[in-house]
Amino acid sequence: MKFFSRLSIQSKLMLMLLAVSIASILVISYVGYTSGKEAILENIYYQITELRNSRARQVQSYFNYVQNHAITLAEDPTVIEATVSFTDSFNQLENEEVSSNMISELWRFYEKEFIPRLQMNVDGNPTVLSYFPKENIARYLQYHYLVKNPYDVDNKSRLDMAQDGSKYSEIHQNFHKFFRSITTRFDYRNLFLVDSETGNIVYSVHKDTGFATSFKDGPYAYSGAANLFETLQNNRERGAFEVIDFTSFRPSYGQPVAFIGSPIFQQSNLVGILLLQLPVNEINRIMTGNFQWKKDGLGKTGETILVGSDYLMRSQSRFLVENPDTYFKELKKQNISDRIIQRIKENNSPILLQEVKTNSIEKALKGEEGLGILDDYRGVSSLVAYAPLKLSDNLDWVILSKIYVSEAFEPIQIFGKRVLVTSAILVPIVTILSLFLSRRLVMPIYRLISGTKKITSGQSNVVVTVPSDDEFCQLAGAFNKMARTIDEEKEALEEQIRKNDALLLKTLPAPIVKRLKQGEEKIADKFPHVTVLSANIVGFDEQCDLMSAEEAVGLLNDIISAFDDAAQRHDVEKISTVGTSYLAASGLFVPRLDRDKAVIELGLEMLRIVRAFSQEKHLKFEIRIGIYSGEVIGGLLGKQKFIYNLIGNTAKVARFLMIVNSVEGKPNSILISQNLYEPLQEFYQFFKMGEIDIPSQGKMAVWLLSDGSHKK
């Protein structure tokens, strides 16, 4: 505050303008930032929530569709007929010969084709013995439909009929195209017909190592498909439906597979189980929006994923698709094992491999639905909308939509950067404008200050002009009025000073007046060579009784004024006037060699003045003068009323000579001492009066001088 108080008004105004402007920018920016952030947050929450709900509805719709399709297929007469035919022809193969050569070739198929591919997707070291079929029928059919199938492993379904001449192959030729078209048209990965009594897979569209094996005692009796078969076998309700979650299915080389099944009834008899093997492709297509995340408004980092109750992913990761290098680097940072990372790379999918155990997943698995800013499965802070997704009694998933916080708030961050840039541009502009405006605002003040300084320096007629019609104009008007008043008062004061000076000069010697004006309070000087004249108009007081007061005072004033004029002409200093007494001196303030002669000349003129006035007024009064020369002391006396007077022996002797002249001398004469007679005798004709006893001087000769005593 002390620093602020020391600043000029212009600086204060500029700082206040800057403070208000910057504060306004900050407030507007803060309000805009927070409002924008809230609006963006609300909009993105709405968007990801709507997307989550939409994807959930699509997944539910897909499973409902597959459910209805499975039930419909199970009730289809062609499927019922095919199931019965395949079961009967399958059982007829029990006595077919399986040679050692067939077994060897089948073994090599497992060893060369199946095990290497399976090994990439499962832990441990799978062996042929663990998966090699033990039943004769399974070996027979796998030999003809796998080993002798001319198509590669991924296209075994293209074989319509094996060349073994069996009834089974004839039936296979009759129904295989129908079932193959179903899997192709509805994008099922496989379709199984299972004997409801034995659990034998009597038919499958895509031939793999599970074909012709039993879900009851075969190598895959503990798979998810086997569990689904057992559930449906025990249910025995027409139109029943069951689904099994994605699990690693070994006949599909350990790939994640989900199964949907429905029982097949011929009239009231359960003749088989229909199993549809669901691929992840359709679910991935739904969850990724057909891999068009940006078109769904998910920007660069948004996605929707499914997670199972085991915390493993059930859908594809966007980051694996779009930026796999970064994706795998982040997996390593999360301490995921190299084996899992390698399997994700080989499968190009994190399904059933990547664990997603976050707060949002935990809450959703508890049945909660919500929104929040939470870490995603990559450990990145994201806006997340999560909810449980129940597809069946034993299929509880979690669906969540998310987008990175950094991307979600990118517009507001851009806004913040723009605000900073704009502020960086605006602050200098505001500073310049503040400087300009403050200068404009205080310019009248500067003019008033300049006018005040002029008045202070003694200038008069100061006028301040302000080119506006506001409070400053009013202030300037008041200042100009004050200046005129001061000027007038100054002139009046100067006039009064002049009058006072004139009055003082009439009362006091000019040098004394000057010293008095300079502030001297005690004025006293000793002068070594001064000639003093002391005069008194004798008989004037008696004549006053014959005149009015005005006439008496006027006459005396005229006589004294004539004395003053004469003293000025002879350069003799008037000292004082008291009544009819007059005191003057020469050589007092300015040393003079002719001071004695100047005083004599003044005295002679005073004689003529008095004679002239007495004759003119026909009055009887005369003047008697005493003159003496020597050392005197001059000083200013009085406090309220000043008088400059001479004291000391010289002034005393001059007054004494005037008194003696008044008593013993002649009318209208001058009485001088011996010390004046000697230097002046050659200029004037003196008349010796004799000797008188002068106080403190003793006997002294004195001389009379009257008008007309000049020597020719």
Side-chain angles (χ1 to χ4, degrees):
M1 292 305 293
K2 290 183 178 180
F3 169 75
F4 189 77
S5 63
R6 296 193 190 103
L7 297 176
S8 63
I9 293 178
Q10 179 182 345
S11 299
K12 291 178 180 177
L13 282 173
M14 188 176 73
L15 288 177
M16 286 189 288
L17 287 172
L18 275 175
V20 171
S21 301
I22 294 173
S24 300
I25 292 172
L26 291 176
V27 170
I28 292 172
S29 301
Y30 175 77
V31 172
Y33 183 86
T34 54
S35 300
K37 188 174 182 179
E38 291 175 0
I40 289 173
L41 187 64
E42 182 178 354
N43 181 64
I44 292 180
Y45 273 153
Y46 173 80
Q47 183 177 354
I48 62 177
T49 301
E50 185 60 28
L51 187 63
R52 178 202 66 191
N53 296 336
S54 174
R55 294 286 186 264
R57 288 192 296 269
Q58 287 179 285
V59 172
Q60 289 173 332
S61 177
Y62 172 70
F63 272 88
N64 289 336
Y65 167 78
V66 173
Q67 172 187 346
N68 294 328
H69 192 220
I71 294 172
T72 302
L73 284 176
E75 295 177 349
D76 187 275
T78 302
V79 174
I80 296 172
E81 180 185 355
T83 302
V84 173
S85 298
F86 275 121
T87 301
D88 291 342
S89 61
F90 182 90
N91 292 329
Q92 292 175 10
L93 296 173
E94 185 175 1
N95 296 321
E96 289 290 335
E97 180 183 358
V98 180
S99 66
S100 59
N101 184 55
M102 294 170 60
I103 295 174
S104 299
E105 289 188 41
L106 182 61
W107 185 277
R108 281 195 298 272
F109 173 83
Y110 271 84
E111 188 176 42
K112 300 297 182 182
E113 298 289 342
F114 176 68
I115 294 299
R117 295 185 66 178
L118 176 65
Q119 200 167 21
M120 292 189 298
N121 297 315
V122 298
D123 296 327
N125 295 308
T127 61
V128 174
L129 188 60
S130 300
Y131 299 98
F132 197 78
K134 297 178 176 59
E135 292 78 10
N136 190 64
I137 298 175
R139 291 178 177 180
Y140 178 86
L141 287 176
Q142 286 191 8
Y143 171 78
H144 287 288
Y145 282 90
L146 288 178
V147 177
K148 289 301 181 178
N149 193 322
Y151 299 100
D152 59 33
V153 173
D154 295 324
N155 293 289
K156 298 293 185 181
S157 63
R158 295 179 62 182
L159 178 65
D160 292 333
M161 179 180 178
Q163 301 300 320
D164 62 335
S166 66
K167 182 67 175 178
Y168 181 90
S169 293
E170 292 179 5
I171 294 173
H172 188 279
Q173 183 180 24
N174 293 335
F175 292 102
H176 183 63
K177 290 182 180 179
F178 169 74
F179 287 115
R180 186 172 59 194
S181 66
I182 290 175
T183 58
T184 302
R185 184 177 304 170
F186 297 100
D187 198 25
Y188 297 131
R189 190 165 184 175
N190 208 347
L191 182 151
F192 294 157
L193 296 178
V194 184
D195 184 354
S196 59
E197 295 297 328
T198 63
N200 292 326
I201 302 174
V202 296
Y203 171 78
S204 67
V205 174
H206 295 277
K207 302 301 187 289
D208 54 28
T209 57
F211 173 56
T213 63
S214 173
F215 279 139
K216 281 190 174 182
D217 52 11
Y220 309 109
Y222 298 101
S223 65
N227 294 334
L228 179 60
F229 163 77
E230 183 179 0
T231 301
L232 290 171
Q233 185 188 39
N234 295 331
N235 190 343
R236 293 181 176 273
E237 293 289 337
R238 186 183 296 272
F241 166 82
E242 290 295 338
V243 59
I244 194 74
D245 197 354
F246 281 95
T247 58
S248 175
F249 192 52
R250 299 300 172 94
S252 296
Y253 307 105
Q255 294 291 332
V257 174
F259 285 94
I260 287 178
S262 184
I264 302 172
F265 284 86
Q266 187 178 44
Q267 296 179 356
S268 60
N269 297 321
L270 178 65
V271 295
I273 304 295
L274 172 69
L275 297 182
L276 297 176
Q277 184 176 331
L278 301 182
V280 298
N281 296 343
E282 181 62 20
I283 293 176
N284 283 337
R285 186 190 64 78
I286 293 173
M287 297 305 294
T288 62
N290 203 22
F291 301 95
Q292 299 294 321
W293 291 280
K294 288 186 178 181
K295 288 185 178 180
D296 287 337
L298 290 173
K300 299 177 181 178
T301 61
E303 63 176 337
T304 304
I305 63 171
L306 292 171
V307 179
S309 58
D310 55 0
Y311 300 101
L312 297 178
M313 290 184 67
R314 296 297 193 271
S315 62
Q316 182 64 284
S317 168
R318 175 182 183 177
F319 303 99
L320 175 59
V321 174
E322 293 186 339
N323 197 348
D325 292 337
T326 303
Y327 173 81
F328 289 118
K329 287 179 181 178
E330 291 181 351
L331 290 183
K332 289 184 178 180
K333 290 180 181 178
Q334 297 174 29
N335 296 322
I336 294 177
S337 68
D338 293 338
R339 174 61 178 161
I340 296 295
I341 293 175
Q342 184 61 33
R343 287 174 63 183
I344 292 174
K345 287 182 180 180
E346 292 170 352
N347 295 324
N348 195 31
S349 172
I351 297 174
L352 295 183
L353 294 173
Q354 183 170 354
E355 185 179 57
V356 181
K357 201 167 187 178
T358 63
N359 290 334
S360 56
I361 300 298
E362 295 278 4
K363 292 179 180 180
L365 287 174
K366 293 178 182 178
E368 298 179 21
E369 178 179 330
L371 301 164
I373 298 178
L374 304 166
D375 289 343
D376 73 343
Y377 63 92
R378 301 169 74 204
V380 181
S381 180
S382 305
L383 300 180
V384 181
Y386 56 88
L389 182 63
K390 190 171 184 62
L391 298 173
S392 69
D393 293 338
N394 59 349
L395 190 59
D396 293 324
W397 285 355
V398 169
I399 184 170
L400 60 85
S401 295
K402 66 181 185 62
I403 188 170
Y404 283 180
V405 169
S406 58
E407 182 181 9
F409 291 151
E410 186 176 2
I412 199 66
Q413 292 172 353
I414 294 173
F415 170 77
K417 292 178 181 178
R418 289 178 179 174
V419 167
L420 289 176
V421 172
T422 305
S423 300
I425 296 172
L426 283 178
V427 168
I429 295 175
V430 169
T431 303
I432 294 171
L433 286 176
S434 300
L435 179 61
F436 173 75
L437 291 175
S438 62
R439 286 183 65 85
R440 293 272 300 185
L441 285 172
V442 301
M443 187 59 68
I445 297 177
Y446 287 149
R447 292 184 178 183
L448 289 170
I449 292 172
S450 177
T452 304
K453 289 181 178 179
K454 289 179 180 180
I455 292 176
T456 304
S457 65
Q459 296 186 37
S460 58
N461 298 324
V462 177
V463 177
V464 174
T465 58
V466 176
S468 62
D469 193 20
D470 52 12
E471 289 82 355
F472 283 121
C473 182
Q474 298 176 14
L475 181 61
F479 176 85
N480 291 334
K481 184 177 180 180
M482 179 191 69
R484 286 194 298 272
T485 302
I486 292 174
D487 189 46
E488 292 171 358
E489 292 180 352
K490 179 182 176 184
E491 291 179 358
L493 180 60
E494 289 176 349
E495 180 62 26
Q496 186 62 45
I497 290 173
R498 286 192 293 271
K499 290 180 179 179
N500 292 341
D501 289 346
L503 182 59
L504 283 173
L505 289 171
K506 290 180 181 179
T507 307
L508 301 173
I512 299 303
V513 172
K514 182 178 180 181
R515 292 168 66 183
L516 186 63
K517 289 173 66 177
Q518 290 175 348
E520 287 192 49
E521 296 181 357
K522 295 180 180 181
I523 299 177
D525 301 289
K526 182 178 286 188
F527 306 99
H529 304 290
V530 179
T531 301
V532 180
L533 179 149
S534 179
N536 184 42
I537 302 174
V538 179
F540 186 86
D541 291 330
E542 290 78 1
Q543 297 297 313
C544 287
D545 295 337
L546 303 175
M547 297 179 289
S548 65
E550 290 81 1
E551 291 176 336
V553 173
L555 177 58
L556 181 59
N557 185 56
D558 292 340
I559 296 172
I560 297 301
S561 297
F563 290 170
D564 292 342
D565 294 339
Q568 188 174 6
R569 282 192 295 273
H570 295 287
D571 201 14
V572 176
E573 193 73 47
K574 173 188 175 181
I575 301 303
S576 63
T577 299
V578 179
T580 56
S581 299
Y582 191 88
L583 184 66
S586 180
L588 189 65
F589 300 106
V590 180
R592 296 181 57 180
L593 296 176
D594 62 343
R595 64 182 182 280
D596 296 340
K597 188 173 184 298
V599 174
I600 294 296
E601 290 296 331
L602 172 60
L604 292 175
E605 189 169 352
M606 291 171 68
L607 296 179
R608 293 191 294 272
I609 290 170
V610 171
R611 187 182 302 115
F613 273 101
S614 64
Q615 291 175 357
E616 180 185 349
K617 300 298 182 179
H618 304 290
L619 297 173
K620 294 181 180 180
F621 57 84
E622 59 185 32
I623 187 170
R624 302 293 178 94
I625 299 173
I627 298 175
Y628 189 72
S629 178
E631 183 184 83
V632 299
I633 294 176
L636 190 64
L637 305 177
K639 186 174 183 182
Q640 300 297 327
K641 294 181 179 181
F642 296 116
I643 182 173
Y644 187 80
N645 211 344
L646 301 178
I647 58 176
N649 188 62
T650 300
K652 177 182 177 184
V653 172
R655 284 192 293 272
F656 182 76
L657 291 176
M658 180 270 294
I659 294 171
V660 171
N661 190 17
S662 300
V663 177
E664 300 180 7
K666 294 180 179 182
N668 295 324
S669 62
I670 301 171
L671 185 64
I672 66 173
S673 62
Q674 180 67 31
N675 62 346
L676 287 174
Y677 168 75
E678 293 175 355
L680 297 174
Q681 59 180 333
E682 59 180 296
F683 299 105
Y684 302 96
Q685 186 177 351
F686 293 97
F687 300 95
K688 187 175 183 180
M689 185 175 170
E691 291 184 354
I692 62 173
D693 190 8
I694 297 176
S696 71
Q697 296 292 327
K699 295 289 184 177
M700 182 182 297
V702 294
W703 305 80
L704 281 174
L705 183 65
S706 58
D707 186 25
S709 298
H710 291 86
K711 288 186 177 180
K712 298 181 180 179

